PDB file of all heavy atoms in Angstrom:
ATOM      1  N   GLU R   1     -70.973-139.560 -70.033  1.00  0.00           N
ATOM      2  CA  GLU R   1     -71.777-140.769 -69.856  1.00  0.00           C
ATOM      3  C   GLU R   1     -72.774-140.599 -68.714  1.00  0.00           C
ATOM      4  O   GLU R   1     -73.899-141.081 -68.773  1.00  0.00           O
ATOM      5  CB  GLU R   1     -70.840-141.949 -69.598  1.00  0.00           C
ATOM      6  CG  GLU R   1     -71.497-143.316 -69.682  1.00  0.00           C
ATOM      7  CD  GLU R   1     -72.040-143.790 -68.328  1.00  0.00           C
ATOM      8  OE1 GLU R   1     -71.647-143.211 -67.301  1.00  0.00           O
ATOM      9  OE2 GLU R   1     -72.855-144.727 -68.330  1.00  0.00           O
ATOM     10  N   LYS R   2     -72.371-139.877 -67.664  1.00  0.00           N
ATOM     11  CA  LYS R   2     -73.288-139.552 -66.573  1.00  0.00           C
ATOM     12  C   LYS R   2     -73.975-138.232 -66.895  1.00  0.00           C
ATOM     13  O   LYS R   2     -73.322-137.200 -67.011  1.00  0.00           O
ATOM     14  CB  LYS R   2     -72.526-139.436 -65.253  1.00  0.00           C
ATOM     15  CG  LYS R   2     -73.423-139.164 -64.052  1.00  0.00           C
ATOM     16  CD  LYS R   2     -72.607-139.083 -62.769  1.00  0.00           C
ATOM     17  CE  LYS R   2     -73.521-138.797 -61.570  1.00  0.00           C
ATOM     18  NZ  LYS R   2     -72.750-138.727 -60.308  1.00  0.00           N
ATOM     19  N   PRO R   3     -75.279-138.231 -67.054  1.00  0.00           N
ATOM     20  CA  PRO R   3     -75.965-136.986 -67.439  1.00  0.00           C
ATOM     21  C   PRO R   3     -75.840-135.922 -66.361  1.00  0.00           C
ATOM     22  O   PRO R   3     -75.912-136.206 -65.165  1.00  0.00           O
ATOM     23  CB  PRO R   3     -77.414-137.420 -67.636  1.00  0.00           C
ATOM     24  CG  PRO R   3     -77.558-138.677 -66.832  1.00  0.00           C
ATOM     25  CD  PRO R   3     -76.229-139.348 -66.885  1.00  0.00           C
ATOM     26  N   VAL R   4     -75.652-134.693 -66.803  1.00  0.00           N
ATOM     27  CA  VAL R   4     -75.563-133.549 -65.902  1.00  0.00           C
ATOM     28  C   VAL R   4     -76.943-133.259 -65.308  1.00  0.00           C
ATOM     29  O   VAL R   4     -77.970-133.419 -65.986  1.00  0.00           O
ATOM     30  CB  VAL R   4     -75.021-132.326 -66.671  1.00  0.00           C
ATOM     31  CG1 VAL R   4     -75.206-131.043 -65.877  1.00  0.00           C
ATOM     32  CG2 VAL R   4     -73.552-132.538 -67.015  1.00  0.00           C
ATOM     33  N   GLN R   5     -76.952-132.834 -64.046  1.00  0.00           N
ATOM     34  CA  GLN R   5     -78.202-132.472 -63.375  1.00  0.00           C
ATOM     35  C   GLN R   5     -78.386-130.951 -63.399  1.00  0.00           C
ATOM     36  O   GLN R   5     -77.433-130.193 -63.563  1.00  0.00           O
ATOM     37  CB  GLN R   5     -78.189-132.970 -61.929  1.00  0.00           C
ATOM     38  CG  GLN R   5     -78.027-134.480 -61.798  1.00  0.00           C
ATOM     39  CD  GLN R   5     -79.134-135.254 -62.494  1.00  0.00           C
ATOM     40  OE1 GLN R   5     -80.315-134.950 -62.307  1.00  0.00           O
ATOM     41  NE2 GLN R   5     -78.758-136.246 -63.294  1.00  0.00           N
ATOM     42  N   HIS R   6     -79.616-130.525 -63.195  1.00  0.00           N
ATOM     43  CA  HIS R   6     -79.914-129.095 -63.105  1.00  0.00           C
ATOM     44  C   HIS R   6     -79.089-128.437 -62.007  1.00  0.00           C
ATOM     45  O   HIS R   6     -78.860-129.022 -60.944  1.00  0.00           O
ATOM     46  CB  HIS R   6     -81.392-128.878 -62.749  1.00  0.00           C
ATOM     47  CG  HIS R   6     -82.255-128.612 -63.931  1.00  0.00           C
ATOM     48  ND1 HIS R   6     -83.281-129.440 -64.304  1.00  0.00           N
ATOM     49  CD2 HIS R   6     -82.244-127.603 -64.838  1.00  0.00           C
ATOM     50  CE1 HIS R   6     -83.879-128.968 -65.373  1.00  0.00           C
ATOM     51  NE2 HIS R   6     -83.275-127.856 -65.724  1.00  0.00           N
ATOM     52  N   ALA R   7     -78.661-127.201 -62.274  1.00  0.00           N
ATOM     53  CA  ALA R   7     -78.060-126.414 -61.200  1.00  0.00           C
ATOM     54  C   ALA R   7     -79.160-125.993 -60.220  1.00  0.00           C
ATOM     55  O   ALA R   7     -80.351-126.056 -60.546  1.00  0.00           O
ATOM     56  CB  ALA R   7     -77.369-125.179 -61.777  1.00  0.00           C
ATOM     57  N   ALA R   8     -78.749-125.581 -59.034  1.00  0.00           N
ATOM     58  CA  ALA R   8     -79.724-125.219 -57.993  1.00  0.00           C
ATOM     59  C   ALA R   8     -80.680-124.142 -58.480  1.00  0.00           C
ATOM     60  O   ALA R   8     -81.873-124.164 -58.179  1.00  0.00           O
ATOM     61  CB  ALA R   8     -78.982-124.759 -56.743  1.00  0.00           C
ATOM     62  N   GLY R   9     -80.165-123.193 -59.227  1.00  0.00           N
ATOM     63  CA  GLY R   9     -81.015-122.116 -59.717  1.00  0.00           C
ATOM     64  C   GLY R   9     -81.633-122.401 -61.068  1.00  0.00           C
ATOM     65  O   GLY R   9     -82.238-121.517 -61.672  1.00  0.00           O
ATOM     66  N   GLY R  10     -81.490-123.625 -61.565  1.00  0.00           N
ATOM     67  CA  GLY R  10     -82.005-123.987 -62.880  1.00  0.00           C
ATOM     68  C   GLY R  10     -80.944-123.879 -63.954  1.00  0.00           C
ATOM     69  O   GLY R  10     -79.937-123.186 -63.796  1.00  0.00           O
ATOM     70  N   GLY R  11     -81.160-124.557 -65.057  1.00  0.00           N
ATOM     71  CA  GLY R  11     -80.216-124.509 -66.172  1.00  0.00           C
ATOM     72  C   GLY R  11     -79.206-125.643 -66.125  1.00  0.00           C
ATOM     73  O   GLY R  11     -78.905-126.205 -65.067  1.00  0.00           O
ATOM     74  N   TRP R  12     -78.674-125.942 -67.309  1.00  0.00           N
ATOM     75  CA  TRP R  12     -77.731-127.047 -67.456  1.00  0.00           C
ATOM     76  C   TRP R  12     -76.288-126.576 -67.596  1.00  0.00           C
ATOM     77  O   TRP R  12     -75.354-127.348 -67.397  1.00  0.00           O
ATOM     78  CB  TRP R  12     -78.072-127.868 -68.709  1.00  0.00           C
ATOM     79  CG  TRP R  12     -79.471-128.351 -68.795  1.00  0.00           C
ATOM     80  CD1 TRP R  12     -80.473-127.874 -69.589  1.00  0.00           C
ATOM     81  CD2 TRP R  12     -80.061-129.428 -68.051  1.00  0.00           C
ATOM     82  NE1 TRP R  12     -81.631-128.571 -69.410  1.00  0.00           N
ATOM     83  CE2 TRP R  12     -81.409-129.541 -68.464  1.00  0.00           C
ATOM     84  CE3 TRP R  12     -79.565-130.316 -67.086  1.00  0.00           C
ATOM     85  CZ2 TRP R  12     -82.271-130.494 -67.946  1.00  0.00           C
ATOM     86  CZ3 TRP R  12     -80.436-131.267 -66.567  1.00  0.00           C
ATOM     87  CH2 TRP R  12     -81.769-131.356 -66.992  1.00  0.00           C
ATOM     88  N   LEU R  13     -76.079-125.323 -67.965  1.00  0.00           N
ATOM     89  CA  LEU R  13     -74.753-124.881 -68.386  1.00  0.00           C
ATOM     90  C   LEU R  13     -73.726-124.912 -67.255  1.00  0.00           C
ATOM     91  O   LEU R  13     -72.614-125.405 -67.439  1.00  0.00           O
ATOM     92  CB  LEU R  13     -74.833-123.474 -69.001  1.00  0.00           C
ATOM     93  CG  LEU R  13     -73.507-122.911 -69.519  1.00  0.00           C
ATOM     94  CD1 LEU R  13     -72.921-123.801 -70.603  1.00  0.00           C
ATOM     95  CD2 LEU R  13     -73.699-121.495 -70.047  1.00  0.00           C
ATOM     96  N   ASP R  14     -74.070-124.367 -66.092  1.00  0.00           N
ATOM     97  CA  ASP R  14     -73.083-124.286 -65.011  1.00  0.00           C
ATOM     98  C   ASP R  14     -72.531-125.654 -64.639  1.00  0.00           C
ATOM     99  O   ASP R  14     -71.314-125.835 -64.500  1.00  0.00           O
ATOM    100  CB  ASP R  14     -73.708-123.616 -63.775  1.00  0.00           C
ATOM    101  CG  ASP R  14     -73.929-122.126 -63.969  1.00  0.00           C
ATOM    102  OD1 ASP R  14     -73.380-121.571 -64.946  1.00  0.00           O
ATOM    103  OD2 ASP R  14     -74.657-121.522 -63.163  1.00  0.00           O
ATOM    104  N   ASN R  15     -73.401-126.627 -64.482  1.00  0.00           N
ATOM    105  CA  ASN R  15     -72.936-127.967 -64.128  1.00  0.00           C
ATOM    106  C   ASN R  15     -72.249-128.661 -65.311  1.00  0.00           C
ATOM    107  O   ASN R  15     -71.404-129.538 -65.112  1.00  0.00           O
ATOM    108  CB  ASN R  15     -74.091-128.814 -63.609  1.00  0.00           C
ATOM    109  CG  ASN R  15     -74.454-128.474 -62.179  1.00  0.00           C
ATOM    110  OD1 ASN R  15     -73.690-127.808 -61.485  1.00  0.00           O
ATOM    111  ND2 ASN R  15     -75.625-128.915 -61.722  1.00  0.00           N
ATOM    112  N   SER R  16     -72.605-128.265 -66.538  1.00  0.00           N
ATOM    113  CA  SER R  16     -71.909-128.809 -67.715  1.00  0.00           C
ATOM    114  C   SER R  16     -70.470-128.305 -67.757  1.00  0.00           C
ATOM    115  O   SER R  16     -69.538-129.058 -68.070  1.00  0.00           O
ATOM    116  CB  SER R  16     -72.650-128.422 -68.995  1.00  0.00           C
ATOM    117  OG  SER R  16     -73.931-129.011 -69.049  1.00  0.00           O
ATOM    118  N   ILE R  17     -70.282-127.007 -67.452  1.00  0.00           N
ATOM    119  CA  ILE R  17     -68.928-126.445 -67.397  1.00  0.00           C
ATOM    120  C   ILE R  17     -68.111-127.152 -66.315  1.00  0.00           C
ATOM    121  O   ILE R  17     -66.946-127.523 -66.525  1.00  0.00           O
ATOM    122  CB  ILE R  17     -68.986-124.930 -67.130  1.00  0.00           C
ATOM    123  CG1 ILE R  17     -69.601-124.206 -68.331  1.00  0.00           C
ATOM    124  CG2 ILE R  17     -67.597-124.380 -66.837  1.00  0.00           C
ATOM    125  CD1 ILE R  17     -69.839-122.723 -68.114  1.00  0.00           C
ATOM    126  N   LYS R  18     -68.733-127.354 -65.168  1.00  0.00           N
ATOM    127  CA  LYS R  18     -68.048-128.044 -64.066  1.00  0.00           C
ATOM    128  C   LYS R  18     -67.654-129.458 -64.473  1.00  0.00           C
ATOM    129  O   LYS R  18     -66.513-129.894 -64.236  1.00  0.00           O
ATOM    130  CB  LYS R  18     -68.957-128.084 -62.842  1.00  0.00           C
ATOM    131  CG  LYS R  18     -68.335-128.753 -61.626  1.00  0.00           C
ATOM    132  CD  LYS R  18     -69.308-128.753 -60.449  1.00  0.00           C
ATOM    133  CE  LYS R  18     -68.689-129.486 -59.252  1.00  0.00           C
ATOM    134  NZ  LYS R  18     -69.662-129.543 -58.109  1.00  0.00           N
ATOM    135  N   ALA R  19     -68.562-130.187 -65.122  1.00  0.00           N
ATOM    136  CA  ALA R  19     -68.274-131.554 -65.542  1.00  0.00           C
ATOM    137  C   ALA R  19     -67.186-131.585 -66.612  1.00  0.00           C
ATOM    138  O   ALA R  19     -66.326-132.479 -66.618  1.00  0.00           O
ATOM    139  CB  ALA R  19     -69.551-132.215 -66.071  1.00  0.00           C
ATOM    140  N   LEU R  20     -67.214-130.617 -67.526  1.00  0.00           N
ATOM    141  CA  LEU R  20     -66.185-130.541 -68.567  1.00  0.00           C
ATOM    142  C   LEU R  20     -64.807-130.315 -67.943  1.00  0.00           C
ATOM    143  O   LEU R  20     -63.842-131.017 -68.265  1.00  0.00           O
ATOM    144  CB  LEU R  20     -66.525-129.420 -69.543  1.00  0.00           C
ATOM    145  CG  LEU R  20     -65.488-129.111 -70.623  1.00  0.00           C
ATOM    146  CD1 LEU R  20     -65.300-130.296 -71.559  1.00  0.00           C
ATOM    147  CD2 LEU R  20     -65.881-127.877 -71.426  1.00  0.00           C
ATOM    148  N   ASN R  21     -64.706-129.351 -67.050  1.00  0.00           N
ATOM    149  CA  ASN R  21     -63.415-129.042 -66.434  1.00  0.00           C
ATOM    150  C   ASN R  21     -62.909-130.208 -65.578  1.00  0.00           C
ATOM    151  O   ASN R  21     -61.718-130.535 -65.600  1.00  0.00           O
ATOM    152  CB  ASN R  21     -63.529-127.773 -65.589  1.00  0.00           C
ATOM    153  CG  ASN R  21     -63.650-126.527 -66.447  1.00  0.00           C
ATOM    154  OD1 ASN R  21     -63.173-126.498 -67.579  1.00  0.00           O
ATOM    155  ND2 ASN R  21     -64.296-125.500 -65.923  1.00  0.00           N
ATOM    156  N   GLU R  22     -63.804-130.836 -64.829  1.00  0.00           N
ATOM    157  CA  GLU R  22     -63.397-131.978 -64.012  1.00  0.00           C
ATOM    158  C   GLU R  22     -62.970-133.157 -64.885  1.00  0.00           C
ATOM    159  O   GLU R  22     -61.998-133.856 -64.567  1.00  0.00           O
ATOM    160  CB  GLU R  22     -64.538-132.387 -63.084  1.00  0.00           C
ATOM    161  CG  GLU R  22     -64.805-131.393 -61.962  1.00  0.00           C
ATOM    162  CD  GLU R  22     -65.998-131.789 -61.102  1.00  0.00           C
ATOM    163  OE1 GLU R  22     -66.722-132.739 -61.498  1.00  0.00           O
ATOM    164  OE2 GLU R  22     -66.205-131.151 -60.051  1.00  0.00           O
ATOM    165  N   GLY R  23     -63.676-133.372 -65.982  1.00  0.00           N
ATOM    166  CA  GLY R  23     -63.325-134.471 -66.881  1.00  0.00           C
ATOM    167  C   GLY R  23     -61.964-134.276 -67.526  1.00  0.00           C
ATOM    168  O   GLY R  23     -61.169-135.217 -67.617  1.00  0.00           O
ATOM    169  N   LEU R  24     -61.674-133.060 -67.988  1.00  0.00           N
ATOM    170  CA  LEU R  24     -60.375-132.788 -68.603  1.00  0.00           C
ATOM    171  C   LEU R  24     -59.252-132.871 -67.577  1.00  0.00           C
ATOM    172  O   LEU R  24     -58.153-133.368 -67.878  1.00  0.00           O
ATOM    173  CB  LEU R  24     -60.392-131.412 -69.267  1.00  0.00           C
ATOM    174  CG  LEU R  24     -61.268-131.275 -70.514  1.00  0.00           C
ATOM    175  CD1 LEU R  24     -61.245-129.838 -71.032  1.00  0.00           C
ATOM    176  CD2 LEU R  24     -60.830-132.237 -71.605  1.00  0.00           C
ATOM    177  N   ALA R  25     -59.518-132.392 -66.359  1.00  0.00           N
ATOM    178  CA  ALA R  25     -58.505-132.480 -65.308  1.00  0.00           C
ATOM    179  C   ALA R  25     -58.182-133.934 -64.977  1.00  0.00           C
ATOM    180  O   ALA R  25     -57.018-134.300 -64.769  1.00  0.00           O
ATOM    181  CB  ALA R  25     -58.987-131.739 -64.064  1.00  0.00           C
ATOM    182  N   LEU R  26     -59.207-134.782 -64.945  1.00  0.00           N
ATOM    183  CA  LEU R  26     -59.000-136.204 -64.673  1.00  0.00           C
ATOM    184  C   LEU R  26     -58.217-136.865 -65.799  1.00  0.00           C
ATOM    185  O   LEU R  26     -57.303-137.674 -65.541  1.00  0.00           O
ATOM    186  CB  LEU R  26     -60.351-136.898 -64.474  1.00  0.00           C
ATOM    187  CG  LEU R  26     -60.298-138.404 -64.186  1.00  0.00           C
ATOM    188  CD1 LEU R  26     -59.521-138.678 -62.896  1.00  0.00           C
ATOM    189  CD2 LEU R  26     -61.718-138.980 -64.104  1.00  0.00           C
ATOM    190  N   GLN R  27     -58.557-136.541 -67.045  1.00  0.00           N
ATOM    191  CA  GLN R  27     -57.806-137.087 -68.179  1.00  0.00           C
ATOM    192  C   GLN R  27     -56.330-136.736 -68.076  1.00  0.00           C
ATOM    193  O   GLN R  27     -55.458-137.588 -68.280  1.00  0.00           O
ATOM    194  CB  GLN R  27     -58.376-136.543 -69.500  1.00  0.00           C
ATOM    195  CG  GLN R  27     -59.614-137.249 -69.998  1.00  0.00           C
ATOM    196  CD  GLN R  27     -59.997-136.777 -71.387  1.00  0.00           C
ATOM    197  OE1 GLN R  27     -59.486-135.785 -71.897  1.00  0.00           O
ATOM    198  NE2 GLN R  27     -60.917-137.491 -72.018  1.00  0.00           N
ATOM    199  N   GLU R  28     -56.057-135.469 -67.785  1.00  0.00           N
ATOM    200  CA  GLU R  28     -54.664-135.024 -67.713  1.00  0.00           C
ATOM    201  C   GLU R  28     -53.922-135.734 -66.582  1.00  0.00           C
ATOM    202  O   GLU R  28     -52.761-136.126 -66.736  1.00  0.00           O
ATOM    203  CB  GLU R  28     -54.617-133.513 -67.520  1.00  0.00           C
ATOM    204  CG  GLU R  28     -53.220-132.933 -67.555  1.00  0.00           C
ATOM    205  CD  GLU R  28     -53.192-131.424 -67.622  1.00  0.00           C
ATOM    206  OE1 GLU R  28     -54.270-130.796 -67.527  1.00  0.00           O
ATOM    207  OE2 GLU R  28     -52.089-130.853 -67.777  1.00  0.00           O
ATOM    208  N   LYS R  29     -54.593-135.924 -65.460  1.00  0.00           N
ATOM    209  CA  LYS R  29     -53.958-136.584 -64.317  1.00  0.00           C
ATOM    210  C   LYS R  29     -53.669-138.048 -64.621  1.00  0.00           C
ATOM    211  O   LYS R  29     -52.585-138.560 -64.318  1.00  0.00           O
ATOM    212  CB  LYS R  29     -54.859-136.463 -63.095  1.00  0.00           C
ATOM    213  CG  LYS R  29     -54.263-137.033 -61.813  1.00  0.00           C
ATOM    214  CD  LYS R  29     -55.183-136.784 -60.631  1.00  0.00           C
ATOM    215  CE  LYS R  29     -54.569-137.332 -59.343  1.00  0.00           C
ATOM    216  NZ  LYS R  29     -55.466-137.083 -58.174  1.00  0.00           N
ATOM    217  N   LEU R  30     -54.634-138.738 -65.226  1.00  0.00           N
ATOM    218  CA  LEU R  30     -54.471-140.158 -65.512  1.00  0.00           C
ATOM    219  C   LEU R  30     -53.449-140.404 -66.631  1.00  0.00           C
ATOM    220  O   LEU R  30     -52.678-141.364 -66.579  1.00  0.00           O
ATOM    221  CB  LEU R  30     -55.816-140.771 -65.901  1.00  0.00           C
ATOM    222  CG  LEU R  30     -56.872-140.842 -64.792  1.00  0.00           C
ATOM    223  CD1 LEU R  30     -58.196-141.347 -65.344  1.00  0.00           C
ATOM    224  CD2 LEU R  30     -56.396-141.744 -63.649  1.00  0.00           C
ATOM    225  N   ALA R  31     -53.444-139.544 -67.649  1.00  0.00           N
ATOM    226  CA  ALA R  31     -52.521-139.738 -68.782  1.00  0.00           C
ATOM    227  C   ALA R  31     -51.097-139.349 -68.422  1.00  0.00           C
ATOM    228  O   ALA R  31     -50.139-139.853 -69.022  1.00  0.00           O
ATOM    229  CB  ALA R  31     -52.999-138.925 -69.983  1.00  0.00           C
ATOM    230  N   GLY R  32     -50.933-138.452 -67.455  1.00  0.00           N
ATOM    231  CA  GLY R  32     -49.599-138.068 -67.002  1.00  0.00           C
ATOM    232  C   GLY R  32     -48.727-137.542 -68.127  1.00  0.00           C
ATOM    233  O   GLY R  32     -49.119-136.650 -68.877  1.00  0.00           O
ATOM    234  N   SER R  33     -47.541-138.129 -68.269  1.00  0.00           N
ATOM    235  CA  SER R  33     -46.589-137.657 -69.273  1.00  0.00           C
ATOM    236  C   SER R  33     -47.072-137.896 -70.692  1.00  0.00           C
ATOM    237  O   SER R  33     -46.564-137.298 -71.641  1.00  0.00           O
ATOM    238  CB  SER R  33     -45.238-138.342 -69.075  1.00  0.00           C
ATOM    239  OG  SER R  33     -45.374-139.752 -69.235  1.00  0.00           O
ATOM    240  N   LEU R  34     -48.065-138.782 -70.870  1.00  0.00           N
ATOM    241  CA  LEU R  34     -48.584-139.071 -72.211  1.00  0.00           C
ATOM    242  C   LEU R  34     -49.662-138.080 -72.637  1.00  0.00           C
ATOM    243  O   LEU R  34     -50.158-138.174 -73.753  1.00  0.00           O
ATOM    244  CB  LEU R  34     -49.152-140.494 -72.266  1.00  0.00           C
ATOM    245  CG  LEU R  34     -48.157-141.626 -71.989  1.00  0.00           C
ATOM    246  CD1 LEU R  34     -48.856-142.975 -72.123  1.00  0.00           C
ATOM    247  CD2 LEU R  34     -46.970-141.551 -72.955  1.00  0.00           C
ATOM    248  N   TYR R  35     -50.030-137.165 -71.758  1.00  0.00           N
ATOM    249  CA  TYR R  35     -51.072-136.191 -72.106  1.00  0.00           C
ATOM    250  C   TYR R  35     -50.568-135.220 -73.169  1.00  0.00           C
ATOM    251  O   TYR R  35     -51.317-134.824 -74.065  1.00  0.00           O
ATOM    252  CB  TYR R  35     -51.505-135.428 -70.856  1.00  0.00           C
ATOM    253  CG  TYR R  35     -52.807-134.682 -71.023  1.00  0.00           C
ATOM    254  CD1 TYR R  35     -53.993-135.363 -71.275  1.00  0.00           C
ATOM    255  CD2 TYR R  35     -52.861-133.300 -70.927  1.00  0.00           C
ATOM    256  CE1 TYR R  35     -55.196-134.688 -71.421  1.00  0.00           C
ATOM    257  CE2 TYR R  35     -54.054-132.608 -71.067  1.00  0.00           C
ATOM    258  CZ  TYR R  35     -55.223-133.313 -71.320  1.00  0.00           C
ATOM    259  OH  TYR R  35     -56.412-132.635 -71.462  1.00  0.00           O
ATOM    260  N   GLY R  36     -49.312-134.829 -73.067  1.00  0.00           N
ATOM    261  CA  GLY R  36     -48.660-134.080 -74.139  1.00  0.00           C
ATOM    262  C   GLY R  36     -49.206-132.695 -74.403  1.00  0.00           C
ATOM    263  O   GLY R  36     -49.178-132.233 -75.554  1.00  0.00           O
ATOM    264  N   LYS R  37     -49.707-132.006 -73.372  1.00  0.00           N
ATOM    265  CA  LYS R  37     -50.270-130.674 -73.605  1.00  0.00           C
ATOM    266  C   LYS R  37     -49.173-129.660 -73.874  1.00  0.00           C
ATOM    267  O   LYS R  37     -48.197-129.569 -73.136  1.00  0.00           O
ATOM    268  CB  LYS R  37     -51.102-130.230 -72.401  1.00  0.00           C
ATOM    269  CG  LYS R  37     -51.816-128.898 -72.614  1.00  0.00           C
ATOM    270  CD  LYS R  37     -52.851-128.614 -71.537  1.00  0.00           C
ATOM    271  CE  LYS R  37     -52.204-128.286 -70.211  1.00  0.00           C
ATOM    272  NZ  LYS R  37     -53.210-127.865 -69.187  1.00  0.00           N
ATOM    273  N   ILE R  38     -49.352-128.883 -74.935  1.00  0.00           N
ATOM    274  CA  ILE R  38     -48.374-127.871 -75.329  1.00  0.00           C
ATOM    275  C   ILE R  38     -48.905-126.467 -75.055  1.00  0.00           C
ATOM    276  O   ILE R  38     -48.170-125.581 -74.617  1.00  0.00           O
ATOM    277  CB  ILE R  38     -48.024-128.036 -76.825  1.00  0.00           C
ATOM    278  CG1 ILE R  38     -47.307-129.375 -77.038  1.00  0.00           C
ATOM    279  CG2 ILE R  38     -47.171-126.877 -77.330  1.00  0.00           C
ATOM    280  CD1 ILE R  38     -47.130-129.756 -78.477  1.00  0.00           C
ATOM    281  N   ALA R  39     -50.186-126.248 -75.338  1.00  0.00           N
ATOM    282  CA  ALA R  39     -50.791-124.935 -75.114  1.00  0.00           C
ATOM    283  C   ALA R  39     -52.283-125.123 -74.898  1.00  0.00           C
ATOM    284  O   ALA R  39     -52.856-126.154 -75.275  1.00  0.00           O
ATOM    285  CB  ALA R  39     -50.537-124.004 -76.300  1.00  0.00           C
ATOM    286  N   GLU R  40     -52.908-124.120 -74.281  1.00  0.00           N
ATOM    287  CA  GLU R  40     -54.339-124.216 -74.018  1.00  0.00           C
ATOM    288  C   GLU R  40     -54.957-122.827 -74.005  1.00  0.00           C
ATOM    289  O   GLU R  40     -54.345-121.864 -73.541  1.00  0.00           O
ATOM    290  CB  GLU R  40     -54.608-124.899 -72.675  1.00  0.00           C
ATOM    291  CG  GLU R  40     -56.086-125.008 -72.340  1.00  0.00           C
ATOM    292  CD  GLU R  40     -56.341-125.753 -71.045  1.00  0.00           C
ATOM    293  OE1 GLU R  40     -55.367-126.212 -70.407  1.00  0.00           O
ATOM    294  OE2 GLU R  40     -57.526-125.866 -70.678  1.00  0.00           O
ATOM    295  N   ALA R  41     -56.175-122.750 -74.528  1.00  0.00           N
ATOM    296  CA  ALA R  41     -56.954-121.506 -74.483  1.00  0.00           C
ATOM    297  C   ALA R  41     -58.324-121.821 -73.912  1.00  0.00           C
ATOM    298  O   ALA R  41     -58.874-122.904 -74.151  1.00  0.00           O
ATOM    299  CB  ALA R  41     -57.097-120.906 -75.877  1.00  0.00           C
ATOM    300  N   THR R  42     -58.861-120.891 -73.150  1.00  0.00           N
ATOM    301  CA  THR R  42     -60.215-121.018 -72.620  1.00  0.00           C
ATOM    302  C   THR R  42     -61.074-119.911 -73.215  1.00  0.00           C
ATOM    303  O   THR R  42     -60.682-118.750 -73.202  1.00  0.00           O
ATOM    304  CB  THR R  42     -60.224-120.915 -71.082  1.00  0.00           C
ATOM    305  OG1 THR R  42     -59.429-121.970 -70.540  1.00  0.00           O
ATOM    306  CG2 THR R  42     -61.646-121.033 -70.544  1.00  0.00           C
ATOM    307  N   TYR R  43     -62.220-120.317 -73.735  1.00  0.00           N
ATOM    308  CA  TYR R  43     -63.185-119.350 -74.259  1.00  0.00           C
ATOM    309  C   TYR R  43     -64.299-119.198 -73.238  1.00  0.00           C
ATOM    310  O   TYR R  43     -64.882-120.186 -72.778  1.00  0.00           O
ATOM    311  CB  TYR R  43     -63.759-119.836 -75.592  1.00  0.00           C
ATOM    312  CG  TYR R  43     -64.943-119.024 -76.076  1.00  0.00           C
ATOM    313  CD1 TYR R  43     -64.765-117.926 -76.901  1.00  0.00           C
ATOM    314  CD2 TYR R  43     -66.243-119.351 -75.687  1.00  0.00           C
ATOM    315  CE1 TYR R  43     -65.846-117.172 -77.339  1.00  0.00           C
ATOM    316  CE2 TYR R  43     -67.324-118.603 -76.116  1.00  0.00           C
ATOM    317  CZ  TYR R  43     -67.124-117.510 -76.944  1.00  0.00           C
ATOM    318  OH  TYR R  43     -68.206-116.764 -77.367  1.00  0.00           O
ATOM    319  N   GLY R  44     -64.610-117.972 -72.882  1.00  0.00           N
ATOM    320  CA  GLY R  44     -65.702-117.720 -71.958  1.00  0.00           C
ATOM    321  C   GLY R  44     -65.234-116.964 -70.737  1.00  0.00           C
ATOM    322  O   GLY R  44     -64.239-117.324 -70.116  1.00  0.00           O
ATOM    323  N   LEU R  45     -65.928-115.919 -70.430  1.00  0.00           N
ATOM    324  CA  LEU R  45     -65.589-115.084 -69.282  1.00  0.00           C
ATOM    325  C   LEU R  45     -66.151-115.723 -68.001  1.00  0.00           C
ATOM    326  O   LEU R  45     -67.107-116.476 -68.055  1.00  0.00           O
ATOM    327  CB  LEU R  45     -66.160-113.676 -69.493  1.00  0.00           C
ATOM    328  CG  LEU R  45     -65.653-112.966 -70.757  1.00  0.00           C
ATOM    329  CD1 LEU R  45     -66.394-111.644 -70.940  1.00  0.00           C
ATOM    330  CD2 LEU R  45     -64.157-112.736 -70.689  1.00  0.00           C
TER     331      LEU R  45
END
């Protein structure tokens, strides 16, 4: 909902990755035991 801003060196991707990871971490923290995560994979080096 809050648009990502340009990274210092230009581009949208780095700050998009940061926003994605922070958003998922917040969801997991707020949902607690109801988050129900069983397994996870990350794509991208």
Side-chain angles (χ1 to χ4, degrees):
E1 192 269 344
K2 183 179 180 179
V4 167
Q5 300 301 311
H6 263 117
W12 307 105
L13 182 60
D14 288 347
N15 282 345
S16 295
I17 293 174
K18 181 180 177 182
L20 174 64
N21 288 333
E22 289 177 350
L24 291 177
L26 180 61
Q27 279 188 348
E28 185 169 6
K29 184 176 181 180
L30 293 175
S33 61
L34 298 182
Y35 196 63
K37 185 168 71 174
I38 295 170
E40 179 177 359
T42 299
Y43 169 91
L45 301 174

